[in-house]
Amino acid sequence: SNIDLSGVTLTQIRDNKVIRVVPAVWNLVAAASPAVLVNDATVLNDLTVNAGESFSPNSYSITVSGNITCNGTWSKGTGTITLSGTADQSIDFNSETIEDLVVDKTSGTVTFTGGFTTDSLTVTQGTLDANSQAVTVSGNLTCAAGTTVTET
């Protein structure tokens, strides 16, 4: 099943100017396989891959402001996954291999609740708690000044 969010948009406005218009949904649930993105997407809350199902971002980037729970299969794409927003986030990729991962949070903590492998991990702002999970970064691990990375 292709996931086309082109008809649903989120417009971000700053200083009375449109700075970005992107396809956006509140929750994204991959409940039928294969679920494949056909454009960049913003998930304002949670992204869930149901057990027995598969999800692929394809070559597109996805921004998630809530939790990510993969109970099925994550088919690695070539885009970027960005974790954003102000609330705490729980991230479990079910030991899958994922595309580049970026933590860009103005507040709140990203906590890994499952292991995974990624090409690169970048923390541009915010707090990341690896939570004793097995995380493999095959490329670059980059943390900007002022960010916090812990392992509890």
Side-chain angles (χ1 to χ4, degrees):
S1 302
N2 288 340
I3 302 172
D4 183 357
L5 301 176
S6 60
V8 182
T9 60
L10 166 71
T11 303
Q12 294 178 321
I13 299 174
R14 183 177 300 140
D15 298 326
N16 294 321
K17 295 179 184 166
V18 174
I19 58 170
R20 184 166 76 151
V21 178
V22 294
V25 293
W26 181 250
N27 288 313
L28 179 58
V29 178
S33 290
V36 180
L37 282 183
V38 296
N39 48 21
D40 290 343
T42 296
V43 180
L44 302 173
N45 197 38
D46 297 337
L47 186 155
T48 304
V49 181
N50 287 347
E53 306 301 339
S54 68
F55 173 77
S56 174
N58 209 354
S59 61
Y60 300 99
S61 294
I62 186 165
T63 299
V64 180
S65 296
N67 301 323
I68 297 177
T69 305
C70 180
N71 295 313
T73 302
W74 188 282
S75 298
K76 180 184 178 296
T78 57
T80 300
I81 303 165
T82 301
L83 306 172
S84 66
T86 58
D88 290 344
Q89 290 174 272
S90 170
I91 308 301
D92 184 354
F93 284 107
N94 195 28
S95 300
E96 296 285 343
T97 299
I98 64 167
E99 39 282 294
D100 298 337
L101 184 64
V102 175
V103 175
D104 187 15
K105 297 183 64 62
T106 54
S107 64
T109 299
V110 170
T111 302
F112 296 147
T113 56
F116 61 92
T117 300
T118 184
D119 293 338
S120 71
L121 175 58
T122 303
V123 183
T124 56
Q125 64 177 343
T127 301
L128 171 63
D129 182 356
N131 195 31
S132 299
Q133 299 300 315
V135 175
T136 302
V137 180
S138 60
N140 295 325
L141 171 61
T142 307
C143 298
T147 59
T148 303
V149 178
T150 62
E151 172 156 44
T152 58

